[in-house]
Amino acid sequence: MDGSLNMVGLGLAAIGPGVGIGLIFAAYINGVARQPEARSVLQGIAILGFALAEALFIIAIGLSFAQ
């Protein structure tokens, strides 16, 4: 029973980074649409935000299998 509860927790933990990544890239697209000349600056910030949000899910995967 513990293993299946870990996977339920992992599924719930995937919601946060999923929403976060969506918001990051929505803000990036909105920023580039408003200021096309700032694309190179915004792209680096968006990729950094994506990496940090994805790291949360990778940590959640590690914690779900640790017992």
Side-chain angles (χ1 to χ4, degrees), residues 25-53:
F25 284 109
Y28 168 68
I29 291 169
N30 192 12
V32 171
R34 291 175 184 248
Q35 295 287 336
E37 64 273 4
R39 180 177 183 215
S40 61
V41 174
L42 293 176
Q43 187 173 12
I45 294 169
I47 291 174
L48 178 64
F50 169 76
L52 293 174

Side-chain angles (χ1 to χ4, degrees), residues 9-29:
L10 178 62
L12 292 174
I15 294 171
V19 170
I21 290 169
L23 290 174
I24 288 166
F25 284 109
Y28 168 68
I29 291 169

Side-chain angles (χ1 to χ4, degrees), residues 10 52 54-65:
L10 178 62
L52 293 174
E54 192 65 26
L56 290 175
F57 184 66
I58 292 171
I59 291 170
I61 289 174
L63 292 176
S64 70
F65 289 113

